Amino acid sequence: MKFQGKIYSFGENSLGHGPYIEIPEAIYQELLKITTDKRVKCTLNNKITVSRAMAPKGDFHYILLNKEVLKEAKLSLGDSVLVELQPDESKYGMPISEEMEEVLYHDPDGSVLFHKLTPGAQRTLIHIINKIKSTNLKIERSFVILEHLKKTKGKIDFELLKEDFKNQRNNMKF
C-alpha cells in the first residue's frame, strides 16, 4: 500500500523519539487485516526497504525511522517521501544475516534457547549482528550470543553480553 508521507520528528524528549512517518488511518486499518503482529516492510522512494513495526502514538500510528535510514535514503526532516508498506512475512520480522543463520544451524542447543526468546528479543540480537560489516565478526559475535544464552540459561543480560563481546575480542588478540 502506497502513500505520500512526510518525515517528522518527535524530538529528543518524547517517548519514541526520532524521525517518523505518520501512517494514514485507512492504510493502517487495511494493514491490520493482513498482518498478524504489526510488522511491515517499509520502502521509501522505491530506494530503501526496512523492517519496522507500526506503532501507536496518541490518536495516530507511525513508522519510526533513524538517522542511518534517512541518510541512506537521502532524506531529511520535513521531506516528502513515497512510502510503500507491506506485511513483513519474514521469520523474525526482519532480515537475518547468513552468518547468524549458519551459527544457529551449527549450534542446536544455542538455537533452541534463541528461539525461546520473545520475537522482540530475537530481533534485538539479530540487529546487533546485522549492523556489523565484517563476515568474520558477524560469525564470532553470533557464537558469543549463543554462548551467552547458554551461560545465562536463556536470559539476556546486556551488560554481561557486552562483557562477553569484550572478552572474546581480548581472547582473540595475539
Side-chain angles (χ1 to χ4, degrees):
M1 294 175 202
K2 292 184 180 185
F3 64 94
Q4 194 67 33
K6 188 172 180 179
I7 309 291
Y8 297 102
S9 178
F10 288 123
E12 294 301 319
N13 295 325
S14 300
L15 181 64
H17 66 280
Y20 72 93
I21 299 169
E22 188 173 333
I23 305 168
E25 186 62 23
I27 290 177
Y28 174 76
Q29 291 301 327
E30 283 301 310
L31 283 166
L32 272 184
K33 295 175 187 174
I34 57 176
T35 179
T36 56
D37 61 359
K38 298 183 182 178
R39 301 285 310 169
V40 293
K41 289 191 180 272
C42 174
T43 303
L44 305 174
N45 287 339
N46 297 314
K47 289 182 184 175
I48 177 175
T49 301
V50 292
S51 295
R52 291 291 187 266
M54 298 186 297
K57 180 88 169 177
D59 60 352
F60 69 95
H61 295 85
Y62 66 94
I63 299 294
L64 190 64
L65 304 173
N66 58 34
K67 292 175 188 173
E68 293 81 17
V69 170
L70 293 183
K71 184 177 177 182
E72 189 174 339
K74 296 183 172 123
L75 292 167
S76 299
L77 292 178
D79 286 352
S80 290
V81 60
L82 175 64
V83 180
E84 181 178 3
L85 299 178
Q86 56 190 351
D88 187 338
E89 297 171 350
S90 63
K91 182 175 181 178
Y92 300 104
M94 69 184 306
I96 183 171
S97 71
E98 291 178 25
E99 295 86 352
M100 189 166 191
E101 275 189 313
E102 279 298 309
V103 171
L104 286 168
Y105 176 77
H106 288 288
D107 185 346
D109 294 337
S111 180
V112 166
L113 292 171
F114 177 82
H115 288 98
K116 284 183 179 179
L117 295 170
T118 65
Q122 290 173 359
R123 283 191 295 274
T124 298
L125 295 175
I126 291 169
H127 177 70
I128 289 169
I129 300 304
N130 285 352
K131 66 183 184 178
I132 299 170
K133 290 185 176 26
S134 162
T135 296
N136 287 340
L137 193 54
K138 283 182 182 184
I139 293 168
E140 289 172 20
R141 294 276 172 95
S142 296
F143 273 117
V144 170
I145 286 171
L146 296 188
E147 288 304 313
H148 173 81
L149 290 173
K150 289 187 252 183
K151 180 168 66 176
T152 60
K153 297 181 173 64
K155 305 288 184 223
I156 304 172
D157 177 332
F158 286 104
E159 288 303 314
L160 183 57
L161 181 58
K162 275 197 260 182
E163 206 50 43
D164 291 343
F165 287 146
K166 183 178 173 183
N167 291 336
Q168 172 68 19
R169 261 181 278 143
N170 290 337
N171 290 339
M172 297 296 288
K173 292 181 180 174
F174 297 98

